[in-house]
Amino acid sequence: MKFLHTADWHIGRKLNGFSLLEEQRDAFEKMLQVATEQDVDAIVVAGDLYDRSMPSVEAVELLNTMMIEMNLVHKFPVLAISGNHDSATRLSTGSPWLEKEQFYLYTQLEQFFSPVVVGDTQFFLLPYIEPVHARLYFNDDTLVTIPLVMERLMTEAKSLFLPDKYHVLVSHFFVTGACKSESETPLEVGGLSSVPADMFELFDYVALGHLHDKNALNNQASIKYSGSLLKYSLSERNQDKGVRVVTLKDDGVESQFIPIAPLRDVALLRGEFSELTDYEFYQDVNRENYIAVELTDKTSVPNALSELRQIYPRMISLERISEQKDITDERYDDIEIKKVSPKEVIANYFEDVTDESLTTKQHDWLEEVLIGVEKEK
Amino acid sequence: MKFLHTADWHIGRKLNGFSLLEEQRDAFEKMLQVATEQDVDAIVVAGDLYDRSMPSVEAVELLNTMMIEMNLVHKFPVLAISGNHDSATRLSTGSPWLEKEQFYLYTQLEQFFSPVVVGDTQFFLLPYIEPVHARLYFNDDTLVTIPLVMERLMTEAKSLFLPDKYHVLVSHFFVTGACKSESETPLEVGGLSSVPADMFELFDYVALGHLHDKNALNNQASIKYSGSLLKYSLSERNQDKGVRVVTLKDDGVESQFIPIAPLRDVALLRGEFSELTDYEFYQDVNRENYIAVELTDKTSVPNALSELRQIYPRMISLERISEQKDITDERYDDIEIKKVSPKEVIANYFEDVTDESLTTKQHDWLEEVLIGVEKEK
């Protein structure tokens, strides 16, 4: 058995307001190329196919196309589960028909007990669930945490093991040992949600989704996150993104990470405004990328956002990281302010921020506004 | 060929706030029973499967179940199109897999040109479209109205006719001759949207959806609306709901309407409050139904809504249809009002509406409020 392990597609996700559909389509096509070149026997998708339980119509359109491409056009058997970002019900639409073409899209706990055999391997597909689902299913009130649920499920799984097959678990949880990054939604408060990795020892391989960093469980040989298909937050900017190609053999598992270059990357630029807007500097920058800017200027820069956006059209954030010029001086002190007129306060503040005085026209406007305010009191 | 013709399921629709999912599930099961008893060769669903382009998760769950029941459990070939209430993209999810089991769910204009053969019949499935879709598809700017589009489509269809088959059109439009009821959404302003029935003469049968009244085109022998599965507005209360069973024979088409009794009906009660709340009266009323109430009382009835709801738990509306006691007399005349105090105006109005005077306590409250109002001026 040789399969491709991917997860956390988050189709429809936006990066600070920018649609990533184009990047997602591109990464998917590259993934499909890997699957073809590596001649895998199946594609495993470990949850969070969509970014939201109610995806946009554009997101639905893209995932529909991807599903057709993988399974109907390229004829790959697919083993997929719903993650915490997916609506189990919505994602399950059509799934009983999909199964007839070896596209297994499991969204309910019950389905875990119907493992799927593809070739020499038995796949146990465990969609993302809350403990309450297990309590209802087993009619057992003691299953109050995910580790307790998982323990029970592992016992059940073992009883279903076909002895002459490899055993793979596909799941979408936070497994202990992993480091969280910014763009996962916390599963449960209080640390009760994480699952100790040793619980999964009975499996030849555990294909995990949920954490976006492929190295989140790097100390485990056969329990792996694939990581997300793309960088979905600035905190993921230094993570390699791609897919895993997993080979199960009698002498053990072999797992290879194959990077996928994004159509547009996520990057951080740090420097003074004058530097970042200097042609000598930015001619070497890939300005098509999603760029977070950290300005180190000591003084304020008027219109920084709009000017930087001219140069970096996909700027995702702008932060000032220098100590800003201290404008909380005595003039803004609560007591002092009471001694000066509102007009003076505003004029001084304007001067501090822009390093310019109000023009006569601005003075007139300000006066007009203040009179209006006074009237409305 | 013998098929069942249904349309306008509107799964997820609410009736004045009441969920109809239970009624919809029930009507669907009865429909399936008709299909089984009549031993039909196929089920035709002429659009508006969902009530909204973004259906609730409960609606998705129900339609998913219904689809499985019809096609995978009962093995009926299904020929369905999207209506103006459906999102074509969302509804199309899974459809390429569904087709492999003879579940044809067409949502795009292009699919019209791939008619489906089931037994001795060629089905042309035309989902609801806007003229712009046809303009783009044919690259023809002159297709500005639905009748123009339809004319073009009929010509194209004819060229695809298999001569040794019956020809059925499944479509979701307003066909002229029909009477609109309250609960269809108008397709287009200006009357440009309706299609003259004679345009469809080339077909042996035209299975229409969109209008909820099965008799909307009663003058046509082979062009029929099935009507909606349930009564979806008060204006439909006198319409029989059900499905059509259509038989195509060499000597013509035979179409039989088979009524389906709803789990809960929609009814109108008209009378005086004292009558509608009298046990002698309401013991003969099916109080499980969705009931619209028209009160004929001459004087106002305090708390009518809440008291009637005690007796009729699924009351969908309450209207006063009597001439109410004329309280627009001289006391409320704009000029006269200025001569009396606000307190007097309110006290008089209260008396008119309730036939009771303000109590001392109410007088005190009123005074208190009026003083508060005066202060805030």
Side-chain angles (χ1 to χ4, degrees):
Chain A
M1 168 57 55
K2 185 181 186 183
F3 64 89
L4 186 147
H5 167 200
T6 176
D8 294 274
W9 291 354
H10 290 276
I11 301 302
R13 185 166 196 125
K14 293 187 173 191
L15 186 60
N16 295 45
F18 290 97
S19 163
L20 295 176
L21 288 172
E22 223 183 313
E23 288 78 5
Q24 291 176 325
R25 188 186 299 269
D26 172 79
F28 169 76
E29 277 161 16
K30 288 168 180 162
M31 182 206 92
L32 212 50
Q33 208 178 323
V34 171
T36 306
E37 284 169 6
Q38 294 279 331
D39 195 21
V40 299
D41 305 311
I43 295 175
V44 168
V45 194
D48 283 358
L49 282 74
Y50 282 122
D51 189 51
R52 289 161 43 183
S53 63
M54 223 196 264
S56 70
V57 76
E58 293 77 16
V60 172
E61 195 164 23
L62 178 54
L63 188 64
N64 282 355
T65 310
M66 289 163 64
M67 287 165 65
I68 291 169
E69 281 284 307
M70 278 196 293
N71 182 247
L72 292 183
V73 178
H74 288 269
K75 305 284 178 195
F76 288 113
V78 180
L79 304 134
I81 55 170
S82 48
N84 56 314
H85 277 252
D86 300 304
S87 155
T89 301
R90 290 181 199 278
L91 195 63
S92 75
T93 298
S95 57
W97 288 267
L98 270 67
E99 282 188 15
K100 292 169 187 285
E101 301 296 314
Q102 287 200 292
F103 192 139
Y104 300 90
L105 178 47
Y106 279 16
T107 58
Q108 304 298 329
L109 174 57
E110 301 82 283
Q111 298 176 301
F112 177 71
F113 309 100
S114 305
V116 176
V117 174
V118 178
D120 56 11
T121 302
Q122 198 182 16
F123 287 92
F124 286 78
L125 309 182
L126 179 60
Y128 171 77
I129 55 160
E130 305 276 352
V132 63
H133 297 124
R135 288 201 290 278
L136 288 170
Y137 181 83
F138 289 113
N139 197 16
D140 179 350
D141 278 351
T142 67
L143 302 172
V144 290
T145 67
I146 284 292
L148 287 171
V149 170
M150 210 59 90
E151 215 179 322
R152 177 69 176 267
L153 290 176
M154 292 308 103
T155 312
E156 299 278 332
K158 206 169 180 179
S159 73
L160 294 165
F161 270 24
L162 294 176
D164 57 337
K165 301 284 180 195
Y166 295 115
H167 306 104
V168 170
L169 174 65
V170 182
S171 189
H172 188 94
F173 288 96
F174 178 27
V175 174
T176 303
C179 260
K180 286 200 169 193
S181 69
E182 263 172 34
S183 62
E184 299 104 22
T185 307
L187 286 185
E188 240 181 90
V189 186
L192 295 175
S193 60
S194 62
V195 183
D198 56 9
M199 212 178 258
F200 300 126
E201 274 169 353
L202 61 164
F203 286 99
D204 294 296
Y205 185 80
V206 181
L208 289 170
H210 185 51
L211 299 183
H212 290 189
D213 181 0
K214 71 171 173 66
N215 296 323
L217 262 180
N218 230 3
N219 51 335
Q220 304 290 332
S222 61
I223 309 175
K224 295 281 189 193
Y225 285 98
S226 65
S228 53
L229 202 54
L230 289 170
K231 298 175 182 178
Y232 286 128
S233 73
L234 185 61
S235 69
E236 296 174 34
R237 68 184 179 279
N238 296 322
Q239 296 173 9
D240 278 338
K241 298 298 182 180
V243 296
R244 293 187 184 276
V245 172
V246 180
T247 313
L248 302 175
K249 291 180 190 171
D250 282 344
D251 57 352
V253 63
E254 215 174 75
S255 153
Q256 188 195 356
F257 181 80
I258 300 183
I260 285 179
L263 183 64
R264 299 184 188 91
D265 210 347
V266 175
L268 175 68
L269 293 184
R270 183 179 293 155
E272 295 213 344
F273 181 77
S274 59
E275 182 189 0
L276 300 186
T277 53
D278 181 359
Y279 177 76
E280 288 303 312
F281 173 83
Y282 68 68
Q283 67 171 337
D284 297 329
V285 173
N286 183 346
R287 297 190 287 125
E288 290 299 304
N289 285 344
Y290 294 101
I291 288 175
V293 171
E294 289 184 357
L295 283 186
T296 57
D297 295 71
K298 295 271 177 280
T299 58
S300 78
V301 184
N303 299 323
L305 185 74
S306 62
E307 292 201 21
L308 284 163
R309 201 151 255 169
Q310 299 288 321
I311 298 168
Y312 309 103
R314 291 189 186 79
M315 192 166 72
I316 54 172
S317 64
L318 174 61
E319 262 193 88
R320 304 289 303 272
I321 60 156
S322 73
E323 266 183 77
Q324 287 182 28
K325 189 177 166 187
D326 189 7
I327 55 168
T328 58
D329 65 15
E330 76 284 348
R331 276 190 300 190
Y332 300 97
D333 185 279
D334 197 41
I335 300 150
E336 290 300 317
I337 276 176
K338 287 177 181 161
K339 292 181 186 167
V340 292
S341 72
K343 194 175 152 186
E344 275 177 280
V345 173
I346 294 169
N348 289 341
Y349 181 78
F350 183 85
E351 216 176 302
D352 278 331
V353 173
T354 67
D355 278 335
E356 282 175 29
S357 300
L358 286 172
T359 64
T360 317
K361 189 142 207 170
Q362 287 168 333
H363 258 293
D364 292 348
W365 283 336
L366 181 56
E367 196 125 19
E368 214 174 287
V369 168
L370 288 171
I371 287 165
V373 168
E374 199 56 39
K375 269 187 189 160
E376 295 206 354
K377 265 188 186 171
Chain B
M1 168 59 56
K2 185 180 184 184
F3 63 88
L4 186 146
H5 168 199
T6 177
D8 293 275
W9 290 356
H10 290 276
I11 302 302
R13 186 166 195 125
K14 292 188 174 191
L15 186 60
N16 296 45
F18 290 96
S19 163
L20 295 176
L21 288 172
E22 222 184 314
E23 287 79 4
Q24 290 176 324
R25 187 186 298 269
D26 171 80
F28 169 76
E29 277 161 18
K30 288 169 181 162
M31 182 207 91
L32 212 50
Q33 206 177 327
V34 171
T36 306
E37 284 169 6
Q38 294 280 329
D39 196 22
V40 299
D41 304 311
I43 295 174
V44 168
V45 194
D48 283 358
L49 282 72
Y50 282 121
D51 189 52
R52 290 161 44 183
S53 62
M54 222 195 265
S56 71
V57 76
E58 293 77 16
V60 172
E61 195 164 25
L62 178 54
L63 188 65
N64 282 354
T65 309
M66 288 161 66
M67 288 165 65
I68 292 168
E69 280 283 305
M70 276 196 295
N71 181 247
L72 293 182
V73 178
H74 288 270
K75 305 285 179 196
F76 288 112
V78 180
L79 303 134
I81 55 171
S82 48
N84 57 313
H85 278 250
D86 301 304
S87 156
T89 301
R90 290 181 199 278
L91 195 63
S92 75
T93 298
S95 58
W97 288 266
L98 270 67
E99 282 188 14
K100 292 170 187 282
E101 302 296 313
Q102 288 199 293
F103 192 139
Y104 300 90
L105 179 46
Y106 280 15
T107 58
Q108 304 297 328
L109 174 56
E110 301 84 284
Q111 298 176 302
F112 178 70
F113 308 102
S114 305
V116 175
V117 174
V118 178
D120 56 11
T121 302
Q122 199 182 15
F123 288 92
F124 286 77
L125 309 182
L126 178 60
Y128 170 78
I129 54 160
E130 304 278 352
V132 62
H133 297 124
R135 288 201 291 277
L136 289 169
Y137 181 83
F138 289 113
N139 196 15
D140 180 349
D141 278 351
T142 68
L143 302 172
V144 291
T145 67
I146 283 293
L148 287 171
V149 170
M150 209 60 89
E151 214 177 323
R152 177 69 175 267
L153 290 176
M154 291 308 102
T155 312
E156 299 278 334
K158 207 169 177 177
S159 74
L160 295 166
F161 270 24
L162 295 175
D164 58 337
K165 300 285 180 193
Y166 295 115
H167 306 105
V168 171
L169 173 65
V170 182
S171 190
H172 188 94
F173 289 96
F174 178 29
V175 175
T176 303
C179 262
K180 287 201 170 193
S181 69
E182 264 172 32
S183 61
E184 299 102 22
T185 308
L187 286 185
E188 240 180 89
V189 187
L192 295 174
S193 60
S194 63
V195 183
D198 56 9
M199 211 177 258
F200 301 126
E201 275 170 354
L202 62 163
F203 286 99
D204 295 296
Y205 185 80
V206 182
L208 289 168
H210 185 51
L211 299 184
H212 291 190
D213 181 359
K214 72 171 173 68
N215 296 323
L217 262 180
N218 229 5
N219 51 334
Q220 303 290 332
S222 62
I223 309 176
K224 294 283 189 191
Y225 285 98
S226 64
S228 53
L229 202 54
L230 289 170
K231 297 174 182 178
Y232 287 128
S233 72
L234 185 60
S235 69
E236 297 173 33
R237 69 183 178 279
N238 296 322
Q239 296 173 8
D240 277 339
K241 299 298 181 181
V243 296
R244 292 188 185 276
V245 172
V246 181
T247 313
L248 302 174
K249 291 181 191 171
D250 283 344
D251 57 352
V253 63
E254 214 174 77
S255 153
Q256 188 195 356
F257 181 79
I258 300 182
I260 286 178
L263 183 63
R264 298 183 189 93
D265 209 346
V266 175
L268 174 70
L269 292 184
R270 184 179 291 155
E272 295 213 344
F273 181 77
S274 59
E275 183 189 0
L276 302 186
T277 53
D278 181 357
Y279 177 77
E280 287 303 312
F281 172 83
Y282 69 68
Q283 67 171 339
D284 297 328
V285 173
N286 183 346
R287 296 190 287 125
E288 289 300 303
N289 285 344
Y290 294 102
I291 289 174
V293 172
E294 290 183 356
L295 282 187
T296 57
D297 295 71
K298 295 271 178 278
T299 58
S300 76
V301 184
N303 299 322
L305 185 74
S306 61
E307 291 201 22
L308 284 163
R309 200 150 257 168
Q310 299 289 320
I311 297 167
Y312 309 103
R314 293 189 184 79
M315 191 167 70
I316 55 172
S317 64
L318 174 60
E319 262 192 89
R320 304 290 301 271
I321 60 155
S322 73
E323 266 183 76
Q324 285 182 29
K325 191 177 168 186
D326 188 8
I327 54 169
T328 58
D329 64 16
E330 75 283 351
R331 276 190 300 193
Y332 301 98
D333 184 279
D334 197 40
I335 300 153
E336 290 300 317
I337 277 176
K338 286 176 181 161
K339 294 181 184 166
V340 294
S341 72
K343 194 176 150 186
E344 273 175 280
V345 174
I346 295 170
N348 289 342
Y349 181 78
F350 183 86
E351 215 176 303
D352 279 331
V353 172
T354 66
D355 279 334
E356 282 176 29
S357 302
L358 287 172
T359 63
T360 317
K361 191 143 207 171
Q362 286 168 331
H363 259 293
D364 292 350
W365 283 337
L366 180 57
E367 197 126 20
E368 213 173 287
V369 169
L370 288 171
I371 287 165
V373 168
E374 200 56 39
K375 269 188 190 159
E376 294 206 352
K377 267 191 185 171

